[in-house]
PDB file of all heavy atoms in Angstrom:
ATOM      1  N   GLY A  23      11.832  22.789  33.701  1.00 96.00           N
ATOM      2  CA  GLY A  23      12.556  21.680  34.264  1.00 96.00           C
ATOM      3  C   GLY A  23      12.631  21.723  35.686  1.00 96.00           C
ATOM      4  O   GLY A  23      12.210  22.659  36.369  1.00 96.00           O
ATOM      5  N   VAL A  24      13.160  20.597  36.272  1.00 95.00           N
ATOM      6  CA  VAL A  24      13.534  20.561  37.709  1.00 95.00           C
ATOM      7  C   VAL A  24      14.898  20.164  37.821  1.00 95.00           C
ATOM      8  O   VAL A  24      15.318  19.121  37.314  1.00 95.00           O
ATOM      9  CB  VAL A  24      12.586  19.562  38.507  1.00 95.00           C
ATOM     10  CG1 VAL A  24      12.814  19.573  39.950  1.00 95.00           C
ATOM     11  CG2 VAL A  24      11.041  19.799  38.063  1.00 95.00           C
ATOM     12  N   MET A  25      15.726  20.852  38.542  1.00 91.00           N
ATOM     13  CA  MET A  25      17.118  20.662  38.707  1.00 91.00           C
ATOM     14  C   MET A  25      17.722  21.091  39.966  1.00 91.00           C
ATOM     15  O   MET A  25      17.017  21.842  40.694  1.00 91.00           O
ATOM     16  CB  MET A  25      17.883  21.349  37.460  1.00 91.00           C
ATOM     17  CG  MET A  25      17.750  22.776  37.493  1.00 91.00           C
ATOM     18  SD  MET A  25      18.497  23.418  35.909  1.00 91.00           S
ATOM     19  CE  MET A  25      17.295  22.875  34.762  1.00 91.00           C
ATOM     20  N   HIS A  26      18.910  20.517  40.270  1.00 86.00           N
ATOM     21  CA  HIS A  26      19.574  20.913  41.411  1.00 86.00           C
ATOM     22  C   HIS A  26      20.083  22.338  41.268  1.00 86.00           C
ATOM     23  O   HIS A  26      20.557  22.667  40.144  1.00 86.00           O
ATOM     24  CB  HIS A  26      20.672  20.079  41.804  1.00 86.00           C
ATOM     25  CG  HIS A  26      20.304  18.765  42.458  1.00 86.00           C
ATOM     26  ND1 HIS A  26      19.771  18.696  43.720  1.00 86.00           N
ATOM     27  CD2 HIS A  26      20.334  17.465  41.989  1.00 86.00           C
ATOM     28  CE1 HIS A  26      19.479  17.473  44.010  1.00 86.00           C
ATOM     29  NE2 HIS A  26      19.826  16.740  43.005  1.00 86.00           N
ATOM     30  N   ALA A  27      20.036  23.169  42.299  1.00 80.00           N
ATOM     31  CA  ALA A  27      20.612  24.591  42.074  1.00 80.00           C
ATOM     32  C   ALA A  27      21.998  24.537  41.785  1.00 80.00           C
ATOM     33  O   ALA A  27      22.554  25.464  41.136  1.00 80.00           O
ATOM     34  CB  ALA A  27      20.337  25.295  43.480  1.00 80.00           C
ATOM     35  N   GLY A  28      22.653  23.490  42.145  1.00 69.00           N
ATOM     36  CA  GLY A  28      24.123  23.306  41.663  1.00 69.00           C
ATOM     37  C   GLY A  28      25.114  23.928  42.520  1.00 69.00           C
ATOM     38  O   GLY A  28      24.848  24.595  43.497  1.00 69.00           O
ATOM     39  N   TRP A  29      26.485  23.876  42.059  1.00 60.00           N
ATOM     40  CA  TRP A  29      27.531  24.250  43.032  1.00 60.00           C
ATOM     41  C   TRP A  29      27.469  25.767  43.156  1.00 60.00           C
ATOM     42  O   TRP A  29      27.979  26.396  44.155  1.00 60.00           O
ATOM     43  CB  TRP A  29      28.840  23.783  42.451  1.00 60.00           C
ATOM     44  CG  TRP A  29      29.205  24.339  41.037  1.00 60.00           C
ATOM     45  CD1 TRP A  29      28.866  23.800  39.909  1.00 60.00           C
ATOM     46  CD2 TRP A  29      29.819  25.561  40.665  1.00 60.00           C
ATOM     47  NE1 TRP A  29      29.265  24.452  38.798  1.00 60.00           N
ATOM     48  CE2 TRP A  29      29.958  25.612  39.319  1.00 60.00           C
ATOM     49  CE3 TRP A  29      30.390  26.571  41.498  1.00 60.00           C
ATOM     50  CZ2 TRP A  29      30.546  26.672  38.594  1.00 60.00           C
ATOM     51  CZ3 TRP A  29      30.959  27.593  40.859  1.00 60.00           C
ATOM     52  CH2 TRP A  29      30.925  27.678  39.355  1.00 60.00           C
ATOM     53  N   ARG A  30      26.963  26.590  42.117  1.00 60.00           N
ATOM     54  CA  ARG A  30      26.958  27.896  42.224  1.00 60.00           C
ATOM     55  C   ARG A  30      26.211  28.430  43.505  1.00 60.00           C
ATOM     56  O   ARG A  30      26.586  29.434  44.087  1.00 60.00           O
ATOM     57  CB  ARG A  30      26.389  28.581  41.014  1.00 60.00           C
ATOM     58  CG  ARG A  30      27.281  28.395  39.802  1.00 60.00           C
ATOM     59  CD  ARG A  30      26.733  28.989  38.550  1.00 60.00           C
ATOM     60  NE  ARG A  30      27.526  28.977  37.408  1.00 60.00           N
ATOM     61  CZ  ARG A  30      27.723  27.931  36.736  1.00 60.00           C
ATOM     62  NH1 ARG A  30      27.091  26.856  36.886  1.00 60.00           N
ATOM     63  NH2 ARG A  30      28.589  27.921  35.613  1.00 60.00           N
ATOM     64  N   ALA A  31      25.171  27.709  43.795  1.00 55.00           N
ATOM     65  CA  ALA A  31      24.361  28.075  45.062  1.00 55.00           C
ATOM     66  C   ALA A  31      25.108  28.062  46.297  1.00 55.00           C
ATOM     67  O   ALA A  31      24.799  28.769  47.312  1.00 55.00           O
ATOM     68  CB  ALA A  31      23.008  27.227  45.139  1.00 55.00           C
ATOM     69  N   THR A  32      26.156  27.089  46.357  1.00 58.00           N
ATOM     70  CA  THR A  32      26.867  26.916  47.620  1.00 58.00           C
ATOM     71  C   THR A  32      28.192  27.664  47.536  1.00 58.00           C
ATOM     72  O   THR A  32      28.934  27.769  48.525  1.00 58.00           O
ATOM     73  CB  THR A  32      27.034  25.554  47.909  1.00 58.00           C
ATOM     74  OG1 THR A  32      27.590  24.799  46.781  1.00 58.00           O
ATOM     75  CG2 THR A  32      25.722  24.843  48.265  1.00 58.00           C
ATOM     76  N   ALA A  33      28.654  28.061  46.296  1.00 60.00           N
ATOM     77  CA  ALA A  33      30.097  28.488  46.146  1.00 60.00           C
ATOM     78  C   ALA A  33      30.120  30.005  45.954  1.00 60.00           C
ATOM     79  O   ALA A  33      31.048  30.624  46.464  1.00 60.00           O
ATOM     80  CB  ALA A  33      30.763  27.845  44.988  1.00 60.00           C
ATOM     81  N   LEU A  34      29.216  30.570  45.098  1.00 56.00           N
ATOM     82  CA  LEU A  34      29.362  31.869  44.791  1.00 56.00           C
ATOM     83  C   LEU A  34      28.755  32.866  45.814  1.00 56.00           C
ATOM     84  O   LEU A  34      27.720  32.461  46.497  1.00 56.00           O
ATOM     85  CB  LEU A  34      28.705  32.231  43.457  1.00 56.00           C
ATOM     86  CG  LEU A  34      29.331  31.528  42.267  1.00 56.00           C
ATOM     87  CD1 LEU A  34      28.612  31.882  40.923  1.00 56.00           C
ATOM     88  CD2 LEU A  34      30.703  31.683  42.061  1.00 56.00           C
ATOM     89  N   GLY A  35      29.340  34.049  45.883  1.00 57.00           N
ATOM     90  CA  GLY A  35      28.850  34.902  46.888  1.00 57.00           C
ATOM     91  C   GLY A  35      29.186  34.689  48.433  1.00 57.00           C
ATOM     92  O   GLY A  35      28.704  35.395  49.312  1.00 57.00           O
ATOM     93  N   MET A  36      30.008  33.809  48.607  1.00 65.00           N
ATOM     94  CA  MET A  36      30.474  33.344  49.955  1.00 65.00           C
ATOM     95  C   MET A  36      31.990  33.315  49.944  1.00 65.00           C
ATOM     96  O   MET A  36      32.577  32.827  49.034  1.00 65.00           O
ATOM     97  CB  MET A  36      29.829  31.977  50.391  1.00 65.00           C
ATOM     98  CG  MET A  36      28.295  32.034  50.472  1.00 65.00           C
ATOM     99  SD  MET A  36      27.660  30.287  50.894  1.00 65.00           S
ATOM    100  CE  MET A  36      28.429  29.936  52.349  1.00 65.00           C
ATOM    101  N   PRO A  37      32.596  33.740  51.032  1.00 71.00           N
ATOM    102  CA  PRO A  37      34.092  33.686  51.061  1.00 71.00           C
ATOM    103  C   PRO A  37      34.607  32.252  51.016  1.00 71.00           C
ATOM    104  O   PRO A  37      33.919  31.267  51.563  1.00 71.00           O
ATOM    105  CB  PRO A  37      34.346  34.396  52.495  1.00 71.00           C
ATOM    106  CG  PRO A  37      33.179  34.128  53.280  1.00 71.00           C
ATOM    107  CD  PRO A  37      32.050  34.190  52.286  1.00 71.00           C
ATOM    108  N   GLY A  38      35.832  32.109  50.654  1.00 72.00           N
ATOM    109  CA  GLY A  38      36.485  30.795  50.743  1.00 72.00           C
ATOM    110  C   GLY A  38      37.413  30.618  49.445  1.00 72.00           C
ATOM    111  O   GLY A  38      37.148  31.083  48.364  1.00 72.00           O
ATOM    112  N   ILE A  39      38.435  29.846  49.753  1.00 76.00           N
ATOM    113  CA  ILE A  39      39.464  29.438  48.694  1.00 76.00           C
ATOM    114  C   ILE A  39      39.874  28.018  48.993  1.00 76.00           C
ATOM    115  O   ILE A  39      39.639  27.411  50.065  1.00 76.00           O
ATOM    116  CB  ILE A  39      40.582  30.400  48.604  1.00 76.00           C
ATOM    117  CG1 ILE A  39      41.463  30.409  49.912  1.00 76.00           C
ATOM    118  CG2 ILE A  39      40.209  31.852  48.360  1.00 76.00           C
ATOM    119  CD1 ILE A  39      42.701  31.220  49.883  1.00 76.00           C
ATOM    120  N   GLY A  40      40.563  27.395  47.947  1.00 78.00           N
ATOM    121  CA  GLY A  40      41.240  26.208  48.055  1.00 78.00           C
ATOM    122  C   GLY A  40      40.345  25.034  48.437  1.00 78.00           C
ATOM    123  O   GLY A  40      39.257  24.931  48.036  1.00 78.00           O
ATOM    124  N   ALA A  41      40.928  24.156  49.426  1.00 82.00           N
ATOM    125  CA  ALA A  41      40.188  22.838  49.764  1.00 82.00           C
ATOM    126  C   ALA A  41      38.739  23.152  50.311  1.00 82.00           C
ATOM    127  O   ALA A  41      37.767  22.332  50.038  1.00 82.00           O
ATOM    128  CB  ALA A  41      41.052  22.229  50.700  1.00 82.00           C
ATOM    129  N   GLU A  42      38.645  24.218  51.176  1.00 75.00           N
ATOM    130  CA  GLU A  42      37.430  24.502  51.705  1.00 75.00           C
ATOM    131  C   GLU A  42      36.381  24.849  50.698  1.00 75.00           C
ATOM    132  O   GLU A  42      35.221  24.333  50.796  1.00 75.00           O
ATOM    133  CB  GLU A  42      37.677  25.673  52.818  1.00 75.00           C
ATOM    134  CG  GLU A  42      36.392  25.922  53.634  1.00 75.00           C
ATOM    135  CD  GLU A  42      35.482  27.089  52.948  1.00 75.00           C
ATOM    136  OE1 GLU A  42      36.030  27.828  52.127  1.00 75.00           O
ATOM    137  OE2 GLU A  42      34.350  27.153  53.317  1.00 75.00           O
ATOM    138  N   LEU A  43      36.719  25.576  49.670  1.00 72.00           N
ATOM    139  CA  LEU A  43      35.824  26.020  48.662  1.00 72.00           C
ATOM    140  C   LEU A  43      35.399  24.800  47.799  1.00 72.00           C
ATOM    141  O   LEU A  43      34.331  24.529  47.535  1.00 72.00           O
ATOM    142  CB  LEU A  43      36.437  27.080  47.760  1.00 72.00           C
ATOM    143  CG  LEU A  43      35.668  27.455  46.495  1.00 72.00           C
ATOM    144  CD1 LEU A  43      34.266  28.172  46.918  1.00 72.00           C
ATOM    145  CD2 LEU A  43      36.410  28.466  45.661  1.00 72.00           C
ATOM    146  N   LYS A  44      36.416  23.911  47.517  1.00 72.00           N
ATOM    147  CA  LYS A  44      36.177  22.761  46.742  1.00 72.00           C
ATOM    148  C   LYS A  44      35.268  21.740  47.486  1.00 72.00           C
ATOM    149  O   LYS A  44      34.300  21.173  46.864  1.00 72.00           O
ATOM    150  CB  LYS A  44      37.490  22.004  46.456  1.00 72.00           C
ATOM    151  CG  LYS A  44      38.378  22.702  45.467  1.00 72.00           C
ATOM    152  CD  LYS A  44      39.682  21.956  45.267  1.00 72.00           C
ATOM    153  CE  LYS A  44      40.680  22.755  44.283  1.00 72.00           C
ATOM    154  NZ  LYS A  44      41.892  21.968  44.044  1.00 72.00           N
ATOM    155  N   ALA A  45      35.325  21.642  48.738  1.00 71.00           N
ATOM    156  CA  ALA A  45      34.535  20.821  49.478  1.00 71.00           C
ATOM    157  C   ALA A  45      33.040  21.376  49.470  1.00 71.00           C
ATOM    158  O   ALA A  45      32.169  20.569  49.438  1.00 71.00           O
ATOM    159  CB  ALA A  45      35.004  20.777  50.929  1.00 71.00           C
ATOM    160  N   ARG A  46      32.923  22.725  49.550  1.00 68.00           N
ATOM    161  CA  ARG A  46      31.582  23.119  49.520  1.00 68.00           C
ATOM    162  C   ARG A  46      30.898  23.073  48.205  1.00 68.00           C
ATOM    163  O   ARG A  46      29.705  22.760  48.047  1.00 68.00           O
ATOM    164  CB  ARG A  46      31.763  24.736  49.954  1.00 68.00           C
ATOM    165  CG  ARG A  46      30.334  25.200  50.347  1.00 68.00           C
ATOM    166  CD  ARG A  46      30.475  26.636  51.088  1.00 68.00           C
ATOM    167  NE  ARG A  46      31.008  27.626  50.106  1.00 68.00           N
ATOM    168  CZ  ARG A  46      32.072  28.404  50.411  1.00 68.00           C
ATOM    169  NH1 ARG A  46      32.738  28.200  51.584  1.00 68.00           N
ATOM    170  NH2 ARG A  46      32.447  29.325  49.548  1.00 68.00           N
ATOM    171  N   THR A  47      31.648  23.029  47.148  1.00 66.00           N
ATOM    172  CA  THR A  47      31.103  22.993  45.828  1.00 66.00           C
ATOM    173  C   THR A  47      30.808  21.487  45.417  1.00 66.00           C
ATOM    174  O   THR A  47      30.020  21.186  44.481  1.00 66.00           O
ATOM    175  CB  THR A  47      32.080  23.514  44.646  1.00 66.00           C
ATOM    176  OG1 THR A  47      33.233  22.706  44.674  1.00 66.00           O
ATOM    177  CG2 THR A  47      32.361  24.933  44.878  1.00 66.00           C
ATOM    178  N   SER A  48      31.207  20.513  46.345  1.00 63.00           N
ATOM    179  CA  SER A  48      30.816  19.136  45.921  1.00 63.00           C
ATOM    180  C   SER A  48      29.380  18.832  46.400  1.00 63.00           C
ATOM    181  O   SER A  48      28.975  17.807  46.007  1.00 63.00           O
ATOM    182  CB  SER A  48      31.905  18.206  46.715  1.00 63.00           C
ATOM    183  OG  SER A  48      31.579  18.317  48.111  1.00 63.00           O
ATOM    184  N   HIS A  49      28.745  19.764  47.055  1.00 63.00           N
ATOM    185  CA  HIS A  49      27.472  19.544  47.583  1.00 63.00           C
ATOM    186  C   HIS A  49      26.524  20.263  46.649  1.00 63.00           C
ATOM    187  O   HIS A  49      26.510  21.498  46.524  1.00 63.00           O
ATOM    188  CB  HIS A  49      27.228  19.968  49.065  1.00 63.00           C
ATOM    189  CG  HIS A  49      28.148  19.230  49.978  1.00 63.00           C
ATOM    190  ND1 HIS A  49      27.943  17.858  50.275  1.00 63.00           N
ATOM    191  CD2 HIS A  49      29.204  19.636  50.563  1.00 63.00           C
ATOM    192  CE1 HIS A  49      28.907  17.485  51.160  1.00 63.00           C
ATOM    193  NE2 HIS A  49      29.652  18.540  51.343  1.00 63.00           N
ATOM    194  N   VAL A  50      25.566  19.464  46.041  1.00 71.00           N
ATOM    195  CA  VAL A  50      24.686  20.174  45.134  1.00 71.00           C
ATOM    196  C   VAL A  50      23.483  20.857  45.973  1.00 71.00           C
ATOM    197  O   VAL A  50      23.273  20.473  47.147  1.00 71.00           O
ATOM    198  CB  VAL A  50      23.915  19.195  44.187  1.00 71.00           C
ATOM    199  CG1 VAL A  50      24.895  18.623  43.127  1.00 71.00           C
ATOM    200  CG2 VAL A  50      23.231  18.157  44.897  1.00 71.00           C
ATOM    201  N   GLY A  51      22.981  21.948  45.325  1.00 76.00           N
ATOM    202  CA  GLY A  51      21.941  22.620  46.013  1.00 76.00           C
ATOM    203  C   GLY A  51      20.595  21.891  46.014  1.00 76.00           C
ATOM    204  O   GLY A  51      20.478  20.717  45.562  1.00 76.00           O
ATOM    205  N   PRO A  52      19.506  22.588  46.482  1.00 86.00           N
ATOM    206  CA  PRO A  52      18.215  21.920  46.580  1.00 86.00           C
ATOM    207  C   PRO A  52      17.505  21.889  45.145  1.00 86.00           C
ATOM    208  O   PRO A  52      18.047  22.439  44.220  1.00 86.00           O
ATOM    209  CB  PRO A  52      17.396  22.916  47.447  1.00 86.00           C
ATOM    210  CG  PRO A  52      18.075  24.285  47.156  1.00 86.00           C
ATOM    211  CD  PRO A  52      19.521  23.967  47.095  1.00 86.00           C
ATOM    212  N   TRP A  53      16.614  21.088  44.976  1.00 92.00           N
ATOM    213  CA  TRP A  53      15.959  20.964  43.771  1.00 92.00           C
ATOM    214  C   TRP A  53      15.021  22.250  43.586  1.00 92.00           C
ATOM    215  O   TRP A  53      14.429  22.721  44.454  1.00 92.00           O
ATOM    216  CB  TRP A  53      14.989  19.747  43.803  1.00 92.00           C
ATOM    217  CG  TRP A  53      15.607  18.422  43.612  1.00 92.00           C
ATOM    218  CD1 TRP A  53      15.893  17.615  44.753  1.00 92.00           C
ATOM    219  CD2 TRP A  53      15.927  17.685  42.482  1.00 92.00           C
ATOM    220  NE1 TRP A  53      16.487  16.527  44.287  1.00 92.00           N
ATOM    221  CE2 TRP A  53      16.528  16.443  42.835  1.00 92.00           C
ATOM    222  CE3 TRP A  53      15.846  17.999  41.117  1.00 92.00           C
ATOM    223  CZ2 TRP A  53      17.008  15.612  42.015  1.00 92.00           C
ATOM    224  CZ3 TRP A  53      16.468  17.113  40.218  1.00 92.00           C
ATOM    225  CH2 TRP A  53      16.970  15.835  40.617  1.00 92.00           C
ATOM    226  N   VAL A  54      15.189  22.766  42.303  1.00 95.00           N
ATOM    227  CA  VAL A  54      14.408  23.981  41.975  1.00 95.00           C
ATOM    228  C   VAL A  54      13.670  23.696  40.668  1.00 95.00           C
ATOM    229  O   VAL A  54      14.038  23.044  39.692  1.00 95.00           O
ATOM    230  CB  VAL A  54      15.322  25.067  41.646  1.00 95.00           C
ATOM    231  CG1 VAL A  54      14.619  26.319  41.087  1.00 95.00           C
ATOM    232  CG2 VAL A  54      16.154  25.506  42.839  1.00 95.00           C
TER     233      VAL A  54
END
């Protein structure tokens, strides 16, 4: 398949909580 890397690519493994983390997870990653 071909799919966006998803919120895990931008959220996990990086510091952040609350609104800042939510904002970052709203952006999907690149197509893989």
Side-chain angles (χ1 to χ4, degrees):
V24 185
M25 62 190 67
H26 283 292
W29 62 269
R30 289 176 176 83
T32 55
L34 297 184
M36 298 173 62
I39 61 173
E42 185 266 340
L43 177 62
K44 291 179 181 178
R46 198 163 66 231
T47 61
S48 67
H49 300 290
V50 295
W53 288 95
V54 175

